Amino acid sequence: MHTPSFPRHRLFTFVSCLLISASLVSCSGDPLTSGVDPFAPTIFNEGNTSMPLVGPNPKTLLPFYVSERTVFKFAIDTQSIQIGNDGITRYIVQITNPGGGTQTLYEGIRCESFQTRLYGTYEANGIWRENALGAWSAIQNSIPNRYQAALAQGAICNLSSQEKSLKAVLRSLNPNSFIGGNQIPGYTN
């Protein structure tokens, strides 16, 4: 009995197709090819932000150190601090000028990128005005009024990640030890 021979070119084509198919199947699970790399940076997706319902609570305004070169005084409303699942810590800050006038802002800090965003301003009539043009901007570290940098470096961030514990943030804001990422001249611990 004669067994028909399989032509070589068909055998070569069959084996080539088999190898290419095997290669493609093995690559489909490769995270770099499939786009499911668990180590790849995630795309930032900011959660919804609602304006506070009330202004700052004078009883929970906690002053914090910013810089020896600033003429302003800064305080954070500890009751307003919200540590978001989106990586943003939101808070109310009150800035007092040398004449006693105040400006109250609702802001957020994103530790991963060391950025800040102004969400709104508290008006004299007791209403929050949303900042429609608010965008993320780099936190300035080398200016006298570097209060966002002081908050980020001194309490809200843990290096380049968000501090997840409100208790730890409040402990870091302790006026007896808070230095906002700066060494206070003449301050000894």
Side-chain angles (χ1 to χ4, degrees):
M1 182 161 147
H2 181 322
T3 314
S5 64
F6 205 64
R8 286 185 188 255
H9 72 281
R10 282 194 171 178
L11 180 62
F12 178 75
T13 304
F14 176 75
V15 170
S16 296
C17 287
L18 188 62
L19 289 174
I20 290 172
S21 297
S23 305
L24 291 175
V25 167
S26 68
C27 288
S28 68
D30 184 358
L32 297 176
T33 305
S34 66
V36 191
D37 184 1
F39 302 106
T42 56
I43 295 173
F44 174 61
N45 189 12
E46 183 173 1
N48 292 333
T49 301
S50 301
M51 298 304 294
L53 299 176
V54 296
N57 182 347
K59 293 179 181 177
T60 57
L61 278 174
L62 181 64
F64 61 94
Y65 176 81
V66 171
S67 150
E68 68 177 355
R69 300 183 302 158
T70 187
V71 296
F72 296 99
K73 294 182 179 174
F74 301 87
I76 187 170
D77 184 348
T78 57
Q79 207 171 30
S80 73
I81 300 170
Q82 296 176 339
I83 300 171
N85 291 332
D86 58 0
I88 301 167
T89 300
R90 295 168 180 85
Y91 56 88
I92 294 173
V93 65
Q94 189 168 72
I95 305 167
T96 306
N97 67 31
T102 61
Q103 182 178 24
T104 304
L105 309 170
Y106 183 54
E107 298 182 324
I109 287 179
R110 193 171 160 226
C111 300
E112 182 183 348
S113 58
F114 204 62
Q115 291 180 307
T116 185
R117 180 175 181 181
L118 173 63
Y119 291 109
T121 308
Y122 192 64
E123 301 291 328
N125 61 4
I127 297 175
W128 284 98
R129 182 173 47 101
E130 192 170 343
N131 181 12
L133 301 176
W136 289 101
S137 60
I139 293 176
Q140 301 298 312
N141 194 25
S142 59
I143 58 173
N145 299 325
R146 55 180 291 287
Y147 70 94
Q148 292 115 336
L151 286 172
Q153 295 169 336
I156 292 175
C157 302
N158 185 358
L159 298 176
S160 66
S161 64
Q162 177 187 41
E163 177 56 64
K164 299 288 187 186
S165 165
L166 180 59
K167 191 174 183 178
V169 170
L170 294 174
R171 188 174 42 251
S172 296
L173 285 167
N174 179 341
N176 296 323
S177 59
F178 181 80
I179 59 171
N182 278 339
Q183 182 60 45
I184 301 172
Y187 177 84
T188 55
N189 214 350

